[in-house]
Amino acid sequence: MNPLLVYSNYGFGSYSSYSALSNYVSSCKVLSAQRREPSSIVAKIINRAVRSFSTSRWYRTSSLQLEWTLLQQLRVGKTDLVHFLWAERDLGYFPLVKSSDAIPLCCTFHACPDDLPQILGFKRRLQSLDAVIIMSETQRAFFESSGVPSHKIHFIPHGIDTNFFTPAKNEKTADEFIVLSVGSYRRNFPLLREVASKLKQYQKIKIKVVGAQVFSSYFSDLDNVEVMNGLTDLQLLATYQSSSCLVLAIKNATANNALLEGIACGLPVITERVGGIPEYVNEACAMLIDSGNANQMAQAIIELFQCQLTQNQMAKAARERALELSWVKTAMKTEELYASLACSTGR
């Protein structure tokens, strides 16, 4: 097959992005663009007008340019299938111009189910999609309620680069127990702050928070917390490898890059039981706590800190789970879906 993978991207996190799928899908072509946010007043007015009638409310003028280029490319090149990698970003008008006998259209959606109703305003257009890939089963109900038949909805988990994100080669010292939090989107920083406050009495437990600078104010008065931002891929990798565990205080999620990166680096995970998180980890590598429970989260960190055997067992299980979610396996499942779509359309 000759699938065409279409996406716009912000241009950072080259080892974490879902666009990495294109490196593992056989014989695929890529159509990509830099995702741009409008800055001038005129650009914002144009963007608002473009977005008003698009399938996605997250649509941008850069997405419109991407879809226009897609239409031109389909006229001149051989393509057996089109796959929008971030449909909630870039799916605008293509379903309207796609004829019923056109090449199959596959779309991956990453947004949480509580966000999807606000993002996807024209739900009837979703019924024209030949396949919907979801990142979590928690998204399924939204698409079924929008009229997408169940057999068109496919859960294919997000992948992770297990060759780049790997455990540290050297054993970690027992001088410090480093609790790592990575990410800003939909994170529960008030909860993380409460947890950090409860851990102040443990001098060997240090907390590192990798996130946007705007959230650093949550921890400005806590001397056991270090806030980091603007890390390169290699710096981020080194931070994972030097940490003792990954903590995710998070309000909701489908797939989560930080979670995948952490387990690939062999980090035990302590996280809230929300959204799609339980679909990506198991009890062997993660401690799942009740949502919003700072006492449970702090106690889980303390218990892990106090037991080296548990740390070692969970670290091994984390890496094993990450290998099950490698991009190679995700690409194989995606290619199987492509093949089934080709058979159903006679291509």
Side-chain angles (χ1 to χ4, degrees):
M1 289 190 67
N2 295 286
L4 179 61
L5 277 54
V6 181
Y7 65 91
S8 68
N9 210 350
Y10 286 105
F12 51 79
S14 56
Y15 292 96
S16 306
S17 171
Y18 188 70
S19 59
L21 177 66
S22 63
N23 298 325
Y24 298 87
V25 171
S26 303
S27 304
C28 75
K29 296 181 180 179
V30 172
L31 177 61
S32 64
Q34 183 75 31
R35 185 169 173 83
R36 298 185 303 274
E37 299 295 334
S39 55
S40 68
I41 294 177
V42 173
K44 290 179 180 179
I45 292 174
I46 294 174
N47 190 82
R48 189 180 298 115
V50 165
R51 191 179 60 203
S52 297
F53 300 99
S54 68
T55 304
S56 169
R57 296 290 186 264
W58 285 358
Y59 201 69
R60 298 290 182 268
T61 50
S62 54
S63 303
L64 180 63
Q65 293 169 355
L66 186 68
E67 284 194 318
W68 176 253
T69 305
L70 170 61
L71 290 173
Q72 305 308 307
Q73 188 161 325
L74 290 178
R75 290 193 178 101
V76 298
K78 176 172 173 52
T79 301
D80 296 319
L81 177 144
V82 172
H83 183 180
F84 277 75
L85 298 190
W86 274 284
E88 62 265 84
R89 289 183 187 170
D90 300 317
L91 191 65
Y93 299 95
F94 189 72
L96 298 177
V97 299
K98 171 185 175 294
S99 61
S100 59
D101 60 347
I103 60 175
L105 174 59
C106 175
C107 291
T108 297
F109 293 88
H110 302 255
C112 296
D114 55 345
D115 286 332
L116 286 171
Q118 288 74 47
I119 299 170
L120 302 172
F122 295 94
K123 297 179 179 62
R124 289 189 62 182
R125 297 182 194 176
L126 301 175
Q127 299 170 23
S128 68
L129 306 183
D130 297 286
V132 169
I133 295 178
I134 53 177
M135 294 284 96
S136 164
E137 286 291 349
T138 60
Q139 299 167 290
R140 181 178 295 274
F142 167 81
F143 289 101
E144 289 180 340
S145 67
S146 299
V148 180
S150 296
H151 71 273
K152 289 187 175 184
I153 305 171
H154 308 268
F155 170 56
I156 301 179
H158 198 297
I160 182 65
D161 188 337
T162 53
N163 293 318
F164 180 77
F165 291 103
T166 60
K169 294 180 180 179
N170 301 322
E171 289 189 10
K172 298 167 186 175
T173 66
D175 295 338
E176 284 187 333
F177 185 84
I178 299 176
V179 177
L180 178 64
S181 170
V182 176
S184 301
Y185 181 67
R186 301 210 68 171
R187 296 305 193 266
N188 193 342
F189 287 110
L191 174 66
L192 186 59
R193 175 193 162 76
E194 188 176 353
V195 171
S197 297
K198 293 178 181 295
L199 297 174
K200 286 183 66 176
Q201 60 182 302
Y202 295 88
Q203 294 184 356
K204 283 192 173 183
I205 299 180
K206 302 296 181 183
I207 301 170
K208 291 186 177 181
V209 178
V210 178
Q213 180 64 35
V214 67
F215 297 109
S216 61
S217 59
Y218 280 100
F219 312 100
S220 58
D221 61 333
L222 296 176
D223 56 11
N224 62 336
V225 179
E226 176 186 0
V227 179
M228 312 164 70
N229 53 73
L231 301 186
T232 66
D233 288 327
L234 289 175
Q235 289 171 331
L236 179 61
L237 173 63
T239 303
Y240 278 119
Q241 291 178 336
S242 63
S243 297
S244 307
C245 71
L246 177 71
V247 167
L248 281 179
I250 192 165
K251 297 175 181 177
N252 204 354
T254 54
N256 184 273
N257 278 316
L259 179 67
L260 293 168
E261 294 161 2
I263 62 174
C265 292
L267 294 186
V269 175
I270 299 170
T271 181
E272 295 174 88
R273 188 185 289 103
V274 295
I277 297 295
E279 298 171 67
Y280 285 86
V281 292
N282 51 45
E283 292 183 356
C285 68
M287 298 179 182
L288 299 175
I289 68 162
D290 296 338
S291 178
N293 195 318
N295 289 328
Q296 277 190 16
M297 181 168 281
Q299 187 59 38
I301 293 171
I302 293 168
E303 290 176 2
L304 187 62
F305 161 64
Q306 293 175 337
C307 186
Q308 186 65 52
L309 178 60
T310 302
Q311 292 178 39
N312 295 341
Q313 291 173 338
M314 291 184 68
K316 181 181 178 182
R319 178 63 183 179
E320 290 173 351
R321 177 56 179 151
L323 293 173
E324 295 173 354
L325 297 167
S326 69
W327 275 123
V328 172
K329 295 187 177 182
T330 294
M332 287 177 59
K333 293 176 182 177
T334 305
E335 288 177 339
E336 290 172 0
L337 175 58
Y338 291 168
S340 69
L341 292 175
C343 290
S344 64
T345 57
R347 288 185 171 269

